[in-house]
Amino acid sequence: QVQLVESGGGLVQAGGSLRLSCAASGRTFSSYAMGWFRQAPGKEREFVANINWSGGITNYAESVKGRFTISRDNAKNTVLLQMSSLKPEDTAVYYCAGYGVVASLRVAGEPAYWGLGTQVTVSS
């Protein structure tokens, strides 16, 4: 069983920062791409960022480029999302995601595994 557990969500004022963390277990973490997605009330889940197995390749949604940074620590089986210059439109439930074999090779596509999410609320 692959398990992903997010932490670090909370309430922050616009312009502030938060760091989300995802702890992974159940498979060889270092072999797979990881990502973050988010879903606001009444909206579809959307891609935020992902990172390949080694951390050498990252991708970001245009809406978060320059503000969010994804990273990973394979020794600790964790993936992080550092969020800065937060805006009210960043308010959402943020989900950690793990990609399967093929998607990990492409660092793209639909994830195979999901965490339960952590709430991020940005006030104005």
Side-chain angles (χ1 to χ4, degrees):
Q1 294 291 322
V2 175
Q3 293 182 317
L4 304 174
V5 181
E6 304 96 334
S7 62
L11 175 65
V12 65
Q13 190 175 6
S17 299
L18 280 176
R19 187 181 73 170
L20 305 183
S21 180
C22 174
S25 63
R27 66 174 179 175
T28 305
F29 176 79
S30 62
S31 297
Y32 298 94
M34 301 291 293
W36 289 94
F37 292 71
R38 66 187 183 186
Q39 186 170 25
K43 297 183 179 180
E44 296 183 6
R45 185 174 296 184
E46 66 176 354
F47 168 80
V48 176
N50 62 20
I51 186 167
N52 79 324
W53 70 271
S54 69
I57 301 173
T58 58
N59 298 291
Y60 297 92
E62 288 295 327
S63 60
V64 306
K65 282 184 177 179
R67 300 189 299 119
F68 291 11
T69 301
I70 188 170
S71 62
R72 67 190 299 162
D73 186 340
N74 289 341
K76 297 181 179 179
N77 290 353
T78 59
V79 59
L80 305 175
L81 184 68
Q82 178 65 50
M83 305 184 294
S84 301
S85 301
L86 284 162
K87 306 174 181 179
E89 51 262 45
D90 294 319
T91 295
V93 176
Y94 283 70
Y95 297 90
C96 179
Y99 292 83
V101 174
V102 175
S104 290
L105 292 172
R106 301 180 185 276
V107 200
E110 291 297 316
Y113 308 101
W114 297 91
L116 295 179
T118 185
Q119 177 70 48
V120 172
T121 302
V122 183
S123 64
S124 60

